[in-house]
Amino acid sequence: MINITLNGEKIQVKSDTSLFELVQTKKLNPDVIVIEHNRDIIPKAKWTEVAIKESDQIEIICFVGGG
């Protein structure tokens, strides 16, 4: 297990978890989120390629529609 920061909260995830796997684990809808990984916005096409490492900082931003 490794320690990361997700949306300001310290959590543990399996070593070499991809961003895509993190989204699946958290049961998030990939169509309505954006991921910032260590201050870089990661395109959805790259989520499976980016492995999370010790001390990474991840922000997941969810878009909500309304009126």
Side-chain angles (χ1 to χ4, degrees), residues 11-49:
I11 67 166
Q12 289 189 329
V13 296
K14 289 183 184 178
S15 183
D16 291 325
T17 296
S18 71
L19 292 176
F20 179 76
E21 291 168 327
L22 180 64
V23 168
Q24 286 184 316
T25 300
K26 295 296 181 182
K27 297 183 174 142
L28 300 171
N29 179 351
D31 294 331
V32 297
I33 61 173
V34 172
I35 299 178
E36 181 183 289
H37 177 250
N38 296 328
R39 299 187 185 242
D40 291 322
I41 302 292
I42 308 299
K44 283 183 187 153
K46 302 272 184 189
W47 289 1
T48 57
E49 300 170 22

